[in-house]
Coordinates of all heavy atoms in Angstrom, one line a residue:
M1 N 3.9 15.9 -36.5 CA 3.3 15.8 -35.2 C 4.1 14.7 -34.4 O 4.4 13.6 -34.8 CB 1.9 15.3 -35.3 CG 1.2 15.1 -34.0 SD -0.5 14.4 -34.1 CE -1.4 15.7 -34.8
K2 N 4.4 15.1 -33.2 CA 5.2 14.2 -32.3 C 4.2 13.3 -31.6 O 3.2 13.7 -31.0 CB 6.0 15.0 -31.3 CG 6.9 14.2 -30.4 CD 7.7 15.0 -29.5 CE 8.6 14.1 -28.7 NZ 9.4 14.9 -27.8
E3 N 4.4 12.0 -31.6 CA 3.5 11.0 -30.9 C 3.9 11.0 -29.5 O 5.0 11.1 -29.0 CB 3.7 9.6 -31.5 CG 3.1 9.4 -32.9 CD 3.2 8.0 -33.4 OE1 3.0 7.1 -32.5 OE2 3.5 7.8 -34.5
K4 N 2.8 10.8 -28.7 CA 3.0 10.6 -27.2 C 3.4 9.2 -27.0 O 2.9 8.3 -27.6 CB 1.7 10.9 -26.5 CG 1.4 12.4 -26.4 CD 0.2 12.6 -25.5 CE -0.2 14.0 -25.5 NZ -1.3 14.2 -24.6
T5 N 4.4 9.0 -26.1 CA 4.8 7.7 -25.7 C 4.7 7.6 -24.2 O 4.7 8.5 -23.4 CB 6.3 7.4 -26.1 OG1 7.1 8.4 -25.4 CG2 6.5 7.5 -27.6
N6 N 4.5 6.4 -23.7 CA 4.4 6.1 -22.3 C 5.8 6.3 -21.7 O 6.8 5.9 -22.3 CB 3.9 4.7 -22.0 CG 2.5 4.5 -22.4 OD1 1.7 5.5 -22.4 ND2 2.1 3.3 -22.8
P7 N 5.9 6.7 -20.5 CA 7.2 6.9 -19.8 C 7.8 5.5 -19.6 O 7.2 4.5 -19.4 CB 6.9 7.6 -18.5 CG 5.5 7.4 -18.3 CD 4.8 7.2 -19.6
S8 N 9.1 5.5 -19.7 CA 9.9 4.2 -19.5 C 9.9 3.9 -18.0 O 9.7 4.8 -17.2 CB 11.3 4.3 -20.1 OG 12.1 5.2 -19.3
Y9 N 10.3 2.7 -17.7 CA 10.5 2.3 -16.3 C 11.5 3.2 -15.6 O 11.3 3.7 -14.5 CB 10.9 0.8 -16.2 CG 11.2 0.4 -14.8 CD1 10.1 0.0 -14.0 CD2 12.4 0.3 -14.3 CE1 10.3 -0.4 -12.7 CE2 12.7 -0.1 -13.0 CZ 11.6 -0.4 -12.2 OH 11.8 -0.8 -10.9
K10 N 12.6 3.5 -16.3 CA 13.6 4.4 -15.7 C 13.1 5.8 -15.4 O 13.4 6.3 -14.4 CB 14.8 4.5 -16.6 CG 15.7 3.2 -16.6 CD 16.9 3.4 -17.5 CE 17.7 2.1 -17.5 NZ 19.0 2.3 -18.2
Q11 N 12.3 6.3 -16.3 CA 11.7 7.6 -16.1 C 10.7 7.6 -14.9 O 10.7 8.5 -14.0 CB 10.9 8.1 -17.3 CG 11.8 8.5 -18.5 CD 11.0 8.7 -19.7 OE1 10.1 8.0 -20.1 NE2 11.3 9.8 -20.4
L12 N 9.9 6.5 -14.8 CA 9.0 6.4 -13.7 C 9.8 6.3 -12.4 O 9.4 6.9 -11.3 CB 8.1 5.2 -13.9 CG 7.0 5.3 -15.0 CD1 6.3 4.0 -15.2 CD2 6.0 6.4 -14.7
L13 N 10.8 5.5 -12.4 CA 11.7 5.3 -11.2 C 12.3 6.6 -10.7 O 12.3 7.0 -9.6 CB 12.8 4.3 -11.5 CG 13.6 3.8 -10.3 CD1 12.8 3.3 -9.2 CD2 14.6 2.8 -10.8
K14 N 12.8 7.4 -11.7 CA 13.4 8.7 -11.4 C 12.3 9.7 -10.8 O 12.6 10.4 -9.8 CB 14.0 9.4 -12.6 CG 15.3 8.7 -13.0 CD 15.9 9.4 -14.2 CE 17.1 8.8 -14.7 NZ 17.7 9.4 -15.9
M15 N 11.1 9.6 -11.3 CA 10.0 10.5 -10.8 C 9.7 10.1 -9.4 O 9.5 10.9 -8.5 CB 8.8 10.4 -11.7 CG 9.0 11.2 -13.0 SD 7.4 11.3 -13.9 CE 7.3 9.7 -14.7
A16 N 9.6 8.8 -9.1 CA 9.2 8.3 -7.8 C 10.3 8.7 -6.8 O 10.1 9.2 -5.7 CB 9.1 6.8 -7.8
E17 N 11.6 8.5 -7.2 CA 12.7 8.9 -6.3 C 12.8 10.4 -6.1 O 13.1 10.8 -5.0 CB 14.0 8.4 -6.9 CG 14.1 6.9 -6.9 CD 15.4 6.3 -7.6 OE1 16.0 7.1 -8.4 OE2 15.7 5.2 -7.5
A18 N 12.4 11.2 -7.1 CA 12.4 12.6 -6.9 C 11.5 13.1 -5.8 O 11.7 14.2 -5.2 CB 12.1 13.3 -8.3
V19 N 10.4 12.4 -5.6 CA 9.5 12.8 -4.5 C 9.6 12.0 -3.3 O 8.8 12.0 -2.4 CB 8.0 12.7 -5.0 CG1 7.7 13.7 -6.2 CG2 7.6 11.3 -5.5
G20 N 10.8 11.3 -3.2 CA 11.1 10.5 -2.0 C 10.3 9.2 -1.9 O 10.2 8.7 -0.8
G21 N 9.8 8.7 -3.0 CA 9.0 7.5 -2.9 C 9.7 6.3 -3.6 O 10.9 6.4 -4.0
D22 N 9.0 5.2 -3.6 CA 9.4 4.0 -4.3 C 8.5 3.7 -5.4 O 7.3 4.1 -5.4 CB 9.4 2.8 -3.3 CG 10.5 3.0 -2.2 OD1 11.6 3.3 -2.5 OD2 10.1 2.7 -1.1
L23 N 8.9 3.0 -6.4 CA 8.1 2.6 -7.6 C 7.8 1.1 -7.4 O 8.6 0.3 -7.3 CB 8.8 2.9 -8.9 CG 8.0 2.5 -10.1 CD1 6.8 3.3 -10.3 CD2 8.9 2.6 -11.4
F24 N 6.5 0.8 -7.4 CA 6.0 -0.5 -7.4 C 5.2 -0.8 -8.6 O 4.2 -0.1 -8.9 CB 5.2 -0.8 -6.1 CG 6.0 -0.7 -4.9 CD1 5.9 0.4 -4.1 CD2 6.8 -1.8 -4.4 CE1 6.6 0.6 -2.9 CE2 7.5 -1.6 -3.3 CZ 7.4 -0.5 -2.5
V25 N 5.5 -1.9 -9.3 CA 4.8 -2.3 -10.5 C 4.2 -3.6 -10.2 O 4.9 -4.5 -9.8 CB 5.6 -2.4 -11.8 CG1 4.9 -2.8 -13.0 CG2 6.3 -1.0 -12.0
T26 N 2.8 -3.7 -10.3 CA 2.2 -5.0 -9.9 C 1.1 -5.4 -10.8 O 0.4 -4.5 -11.4 CB 1.6 -4.9 -8.5 OG1 0.9 -6.1 -8.1 CG2 0.6 -3.7 -8.4
P27 N 1.0 -6.7 -11.1 CA -0.1 -7.2 -11.9 C -1.4 -7.3 -11.1 O -2.4 -7.7 -11.6 CB 0.4 -8.5 -12.4 CG 1.3 -9.0 -11.3 CD 1.9 -7.7 -10.8
M28 N -1.3 -7.0 -9.8 CA -2.4 -7.2 -8.9 C -3.1 -5.9 -8.4 O -3.2 -5.7 -7.3 CB -1.9 -8.0 -7.6 CG -1.3 -9.3 -7.9 SD -2.5 -10.6 -8.4 CE -3.3 -10.8 -6.8
K29 N -3.4 -5.1 -9.4 CA -4.0 -3.8 -9.1 C -5.1 -3.8 -8.1 O -5.1 -3.0 -7.2 CB -4.5 -3.1 -10.4 CG -5.1 -1.8 -10.2 CD -5.7 -1.2 -11.4 CE -6.4 0.1 -11.1 NZ -7.2 0.5 -12.3
N30 N -6.0 -4.8 -8.2 CA -7.1 -4.8 -7.3 C -6.8 -5.3 -5.9 O -7.6 -5.3 -5.0 CB -8.3 -5.7 -7.9 CG -7.8 -7.1 -8.1 OD1 -6.6 -7.4 -8.2 ND2 -8.8 -8.0 -8.2
M31 N -5.5 -5.6 -5.7 CA -5.0 -6.1 -4.4 C -4.0 -5.1 -3.8 O -3.2 -5.5 -2.9 CB -4.5 -7.5 -4.4 CG -5.5 -8.5 -4.6 SD -6.6 -8.6 -3.2 CE -7.9 -9.6 -3.8
T32 N -3.9 -3.9 -4.3 CA -3.0 -2.9 -3.9 C -3.7 -2.0 -3.0 O -4.8 -1.5 -3.3 CB -2.4 -2.2 -5.1 OG1 -1.7 -3.1 -5.9 CG2 -1.4 -1.1 -4.6
V33 N -3.1 -1.7 -1.8 CA -3.8 -0.7 -0.9 C -3.2 0.6 -1.1 O -1.9 0.8 -1.0 CB -3.6 -1.2 0.6 CG1 -4.1 -0.2 1.5 CG2 -4.2 -2.6 0.8
L34 N -4.0 1.6 -1.2 CA -3.6 3.0 -1.3 C -3.9 3.7 0.0 O -5.0 3.8 0.4 CB -4.3 3.7 -2.5 CG -4.0 5.2 -2.7 CD1 -2.5 5.4 -3.1 CD2 -4.9 5.8 -3.7
V35 N -2.8 4.3 0.6 CA -3.0 5.0 1.8 C -3.3 6.5 1.5 O -2.5 7.1 0.8 CB -1.8 4.9 2.7 CG1 -1.9 5.8 4.0 CG2 -1.5 3.5 3.1
P36 N -4.5 7.0 1.9 CA -4.8 8.4 1.6 C -3.7 9.3 2.0 O -3.1 9.1 3.1 CB -6.1 8.6 2.3 CG -6.7 7.2 2.5 CD -5.5 6.3 2.7
Y37 N -3.5 10.4 1.3 CA -2.4 11.3 1.6 C -2.5 11.8 3.0 O -1.5 11.9 3.7 CB -2.5 12.5 0.6 CG -1.3 13.4 0.8 CD1 -0.1 13.1 0.3 CD2 -1.4 14.6 1.4 CE1 1.0 13.9 0.4 CE2 -0.4 15.5 1.6 CZ 0.9 15.1 1.1 OH 1.9 15.9 1.3
D38 N -3.7 12.1 3.5 CA -3.8 12.7 4.9 C -3.5 11.7 6.0 O -3.3 12.1 7.1 CB -5.2 13.3 5.1 CG -6.3 12.3 5.0 OD1 -6.3 11.4 4.1 OD2 -7.2 12.3 5.9
L39 N -3.4 10.4 5.6 CA -3.0 9.4 6.7 C -1.6 8.9 6.6 O -1.1 8.2 7.4 CB -3.9 8.2 6.5 CG -5.4 8.5 6.7 CD1 -6.2 7.2 6.5 CD2 -5.7 9.0 8.1
Q40 N -0.9 9.3 5.5 CA 0.5 8.8 5.3 C 1.5 9.1 6.4 O 2.2 8.2 6.8 CB 1.0 9.3 3.9 CG 0.3 8.6 2.8 CD 0.7 9.1 1.4 OE1 1.7 9.9 1.3 NE2 0.0 8.7 0.4
E41 N 1.5 10.3 6.9 CA 2.4 10.7 8.0 C 2.1 9.9 9.2 O 3.0 9.4 9.9 CB 2.4 12.2 8.3 CG 3.5 12.6 9.2 CD 4.9 12.2 8.7 OE1 5.2 12.3 7.5 OE2 5.7 11.8 9.6
S42 N 0.8 9.7 9.5 CA 0.4 8.9 10.7 C 0.9 7.4 10.5 O 1.4 6.8 11.5 CB -1.1 8.9 10.8 OG -1.6 10.2 11.2
V43 N 0.8 6.9 9.3 CA 1.2 5.5 9.1 C 2.7 5.4 9.3 O 3.2 4.5 9.9 CB 0.8 5.0 7.7 CG1 1.5 3.7 7.4 CG2 -0.7 4.9 7.6
R44 N 3.4 6.4 8.8 CA 4.9 6.4 8.9 C 5.3 6.4 10.4 O 6.2 5.7 10.8 CB 5.5 7.6 8.2 CG 5.6 7.5 6.7 CD 6.3 8.6 6.1 NE 6.1 8.7 4.7 CZ 5.2 9.5 4.1 NH1 4.5 10.3 4.8 NH2 5.0 9.4 2.8
K45 N 4.6 7.3 11.2 CA 5.0 7.4 12.6 C 4.6 6.1 13.4 O 5.4 5.6 14.2 CB 4.2 8.6 13.2 CG 4.6 8.8 14.7 CD 3.9 10.0 15.2 CE 4.3 10.3 16.7 NZ 4.7 9.3 17.5
M46 N 3.4 5.6 13.1 CA 2.9 4.4 13.8 C 3.8 3.2 13.5 O 4.1 2.4 14.3 CB 1.5 4.1 13.5 CG 0.6 5.2 14.0 SD -1.1 5.1 13.3 CE -1.8 4.0 14.5
S47 N 4.2 3.1 12.2 CA 5.1 2.0 11.9 C 6.5 2.1 12.5 O 7.0 1.1 13.0 CB 5.2 1.8 10.3 OG 5.8 3.0 9.8
A48 N 7.0 3.3 12.5 CA 8.3 3.6 13.2 C 8.2 3.2 14.7 O 9.1 2.6 15.3 CB 8.8 5.0 13.0
D49 N 7.1 3.7 15.3 CA 6.9 3.4 16.7 C 6.8 1.9 17.0 O 7.2 1.4 18.1 CB 5.6 4.1 17.3 CG 5.7 5.6 17.3 OD1 6.8 6.1 17.2 OD2 4.7 6.2 17.5
A50 N 6.3 1.1 16.0 CA 6.1 -0.3 16.2 C 7.4 -1.0 15.7 O 7.5 -2.3 15.8 CB 5.0 -0.8 15.3
G51 N 8.4 -0.3 15.3 CA 9.7 -0.9 14.8 C 9.6 -1.7 13.5 O 10.3 -2.7 13.3
K52 N 8.6 -1.3 12.7 CA 8.4 -2.0 11.4 C 8.5 -1.0 10.3 O 8.4 0.2 10.4 CB 6.9 -2.6 11.4 CG 6.7 -3.6 12.5 CD 5.3 -4.1 12.4 CE 5.0 -5.2 13.5 NZ 3.7 -5.8 13.3
T53 N 8.7 -1.6 9.1 CA 8.6 -0.8 7.9 C 7.1 -0.5 7.7 O 6.2 -1.1 8.2 CB 9.1 -1.5 6.6 OG1 8.3 -2.6 6.4 CG2 10.6 -2.0 6.8
T54 N 6.8 0.5 6.8 CA 5.4 0.8 6.6 C 4.7 -0.3 5.9 O 3.6 -0.6 6.3 CB 5.3 2.1 5.6 OG1 6.1 1.9 4.5 CG2 5.7 3.3 6.3
N55 N 5.4 -1.1 5.1 CA 4.8 -2.3 4.5 C 4.4 -3.3 5.5 O 3.4 -3.9 5.5 CB 5.7 -2.9 3.4 CG 5.7 -2.1 2.1 OD1 4.9 -1.1 2.0 ND2 6.6 -2.4 1.2
E56 N 5.4 -3.6 6.4 CA 5.2 -4.6 7.5 C 4.0 -4.1 8.4 O 3.2 -4.9 8.8 CB 6.4 -4.8 8.3 CG 7.6 -5.4 7.6 CD 8.9 -5.3 8.3 OE1 9.1 -4.4 9.2 OE2 9.7 -6.2 8.1
Y57 N 4.0 -2.8 8.7 CA 3.0 -2.3 9.6 C 1.6 -2.4 9.0 O 0.6 -2.9 9.6 CB 3.3 -0.9 10.0 CG 2.2 -0.3 10.9 CD1 2.2 -0.6 12.2 CD2 1.3 0.6 10.4 CE1 1.2 -0.1 13.0 CE2 0.3 1.1 11.2 CZ 0.2 0.8 12.5 OH -0.7 1.3 13.3
L58 N 1.5 -2.0 7.7 CA 0.2 -2.0 7.0 C -0.3 -3.5 6.8 O -1.5 -3.7 7.0 CB 0.3 -1.3 5.7 CG 0.4 0.2 5.8 CD1 0.7 0.8 4.4 CD2 -0.9 0.8 6.4
E59 N 0.6 -4.4 6.6 CA 0.2 -5.8 6.4 C -0.3 -6.3 7.7 O -1.3 -7.0 7.8 CB 1.4 -6.6 6.0 CG 1.0 -8.1 5.8 CD 2.2 -9.0 5.4 OE1 3.2 -8.5 4.9 OE2 2.1 -10.2 5.6
S60 N 0.3 -6.0 8.9 CA -0.2 -6.4 10.1 C -1.5 -5.8 10.5 O -2.4 -6.5 11.0 CB 0.9 -6.2 11.3 OG 1.0 -4.8 11.5
V61 N -1.7 -4.6 10.2 CA -3.0 -3.9 10.5 C -4.1 -4.6 9.6 O -5.2 -4.9 10.1 CB -2.9 -2.4 10.2 CG1 -4.3 -1.8 10.1 CG2 -2.0 -1.7 11.2
L62 N -3.8 -4.8 8.4 CA -4.8 -5.4 7.5 C -5.1 -6.8 7.9 O -6.3 -7.2 8.0 CB -4.3 -5.4 6.0 CG -5.2 -5.8 4.9 CD1 -6.5 -5.0 5.0 CD2 -4.5 -5.7 3.6
R63 N -4.1 -7.6 8.2 CA -4.2 -9.0 8.6 C -5.1 -9.0 9.9 O -6.0 -9.9 10.0 CB -2.9 -9.7 8.8 CG -3.0 -11.1 9.2 CD -1.6 -11.8 9.2 NE -0.9 -11.7 7.9 CZ -1.1 -12.4 6.8 NH1 -2.1 -13.4 6.9 NH2 -0.4 -12.3 5.7
N64 N -4.8 -8.2 10.9 CA -5.5 -8.2 12.1 C -7.0 -7.8 11.9 O -7.9 -8.4 12.5 CB -4.9 -7.2 13.2 CG -3.6 -7.7 13.7 OD1 -3.3 -8.9 13.6 ND2 -2.8 -6.8 14.2
A65 N -7.2 -6.8 11.1 CA -8.6 -6.4 10.8 C -9.4 -7.6 10.1 O -10.6 -7.8 10.4 CB -8.6 -5.2 9.9
I66 N -8.8 -8.3 9.2 CA -9.4 -9.4 8.5 C -9.7 -10.5 9.5 O -10.7 -11.1 9.5 CB -8.6 -9.8 7.3 CG1 -8.7 -8.7 6.2 CG2 -9.1 -11.2 6.7 CD1 -7.8 -8.9 5.0
D67 N -8.7 -10.8 10.3 CA -8.8 -11.9 11.3 C -10.0 -11.6 12.3 O -10.8 -12.5 12.6 CB -7.5 -12.1 12.1 CG -6.5 -12.8 11.2 OD1 -6.8 -13.4 10.1 OD2 -5.3 -12.8 11.6
D68 N -10.1 -10.3 12.7 CA -11.1 -9.9 13.6 C -12.5 -10.0 12.9 O -13.5 -10.5 13.5 CB -10.9 -8.5 14.1 CG -9.8 -8.3 15.0 OD1 -9.3 -9.3 15.5 OD2 -9.4 -7.2 15.3
A69 N -12.6 -9.6 11.7 CA -13.9 -9.7 10.9 C -14.3 -11.2 10.7 O -15.5 -11.5 10.9 CB -13.7 -9.0 9.6
R70 N -13.3 -12.0 10.5 CA -13.6 -13.5 10.3 C -14.1 -14.0 11.7 O -15.1 -14.8 11.7 CB -12.4 -14.3 9.9 CG -12.0 -14.1 8.5 CD -10.7 -14.9 8.2 NE -10.3 -14.8 6.8 CZ -9.1 -15.1 6.4 NH1 -8.2 -15.5 7.2 NH2 -8.8 -15.0 5.1
A71 N -13.5 -13.7 12.8 CA -13.9 -14.2 14.1 C -15.3 -13.7 14.4 O -16.1 -14.5 14.9 CB -12.9 -13.7 15.2
K72 N -15.6 -12.5 14.1 CA -17.0 -11.9 14.4 C -18.0 -12.7 13.6 O -19.1 -13.0 14.0 CB -17.0 -10.4 14.1 CG -16.3 -9.6 15.2 CD -16.4 -8.1 14.8 CE -15.6 -7.3 15.8 NZ -15.6 -5.9 15.4
K73 N -17.7 -12.9 12.3 CA -18.6 -13.6 11.4 C -18.8 -15.1 11.9 O -19.9 -15.6 11.9 CB -18.0 -13.6 10.0 CG -19.0 -14.2 9.0 CD -18.4 -14.0 7.6 CE -19.4 -14.5 6.5 NZ -18.8 -14.4 5.2
S74 N -17.7 -15.7 12.4 CA -17.8 -17.1 12.9 C -18.7 -17.1 14.1 O -19.5 -18.1 14.2 CB -16.4 -17.6 13.2 OG -16.5 -18.9 13.7
K75 N -18.6 -16.2 15.0 CA -19.4 -16.1 16.2 C -20.9 -15.9 15.9 O -21.7 -16.5 16.5 CB -18.9 -15.0 17.1 CG -17.6 -15.3 17.8 CD -17.2 -14.2 18.8 CE -15.9 -14.5 19.4 NZ -15.5 -13.4 20.3
R76 N -21.2 -15.1 14.9 CA -22.6 -14.9 14.5 C -23.2 -16.2 13.9 O -24.4 -16.4 14.1 CB -22.7 -13.8 13.5 CG -22.6 -12.4 14.1 CD -22.8 -11.4 13.1 NE -21.4 -10.9 12.7 CZ -21.1 -10.3 11.5 NH1 -22.1 -10.0 10.7 NH2 -19.9 -10.0 11.3
R77 N -22.4 -17.0 13.3 CA -23.0 -18.3 12.7 C -23.4 -19.3 13.8 O -24.2 -20.1 13.5 CB -22.0 -18.9 11.8 CG -21.8 -18.1 10.5 CD -20.8 -18.8 9.6 NE -20.7 -18.1 8.4 CZ -19.7 -18.4 7.5 NH1 -18.9 -19.4 7.7 NH2 -19.6 -17.6 6.4
K78 N -22.8 -19.2 14.9 CA -23.0 -20.2 16.0 C -24.3 -20.0 16.7 O -25.0 -19.2 16.8 CB -21.8 -20.2 17.0 CG -20.6 -20.7 16.4 CD -19.4 -20.7 17.4 CE -18.2 -21.3 16.7 NZ -17.1 -21.3 17.6

């Protein structure tokens, strides 16, 4: 019986590249944002229109949303 083994990093990298993606390995799983498939093309277009990489664009969108939520919460406390 052949034992199953986990794919190596090189195999995972090749699979990611085969579909035109990048491979990211992170110990921060709960802090990773997954863009739903149906929104990915919109994110690519919007980031290109903003002259940013998708990572830069998503970081700015997330940062702005969190800053806005903090400001609203702060106003409610007053």
Side-chain angles (χ1 to χ4, degrees):
M1 178 189 287
K2 187 175 179 181
E3 287 187 40
K4 288 185 178 183
T5 59
N6 292 330
S8 70
Y9 177 81
K10 285 183 180 182
Q11 289 172 312
L12 292 171
L13 186 57
K14 285 181 184 180
M15 287 188 280
E17 289 172 349
V19 296
D22 295 312
L23 178 65
F24 294 99
V25 180
T26 176
M28 301 287 290
K29 177 184 173 189
N30 61 339
M31 289 293 170
T32 300
V33 176
L34 177 67
V35 177
Y37 186 77
D38 64 317
L39 298 178
Q40 290 178 7
E41 190 55 39
S42 294
V43 169
R44 285 186 195 99
K45 184 179 181 334
M46 294 167 87
S47 62
D49 290 348
K52 297 179 178 184
T53 66
T54 53
N55 286 351
E56 291 168 338
Y57 179 76
L58 289 171
E59 181 181 338
S60 67
V61 168
L62 186 58
R63 185 173 300 281
N64 290 339
I66 290 170
D67 288 345
D68 289 347
R70 285 179 179 161
K72 287 178 185 176
K73 186 176 182 179
S74 178
K75 286 181 182 179
R76 281 184 263 159
R77 288 184 181 169
K78 292 180 180 181

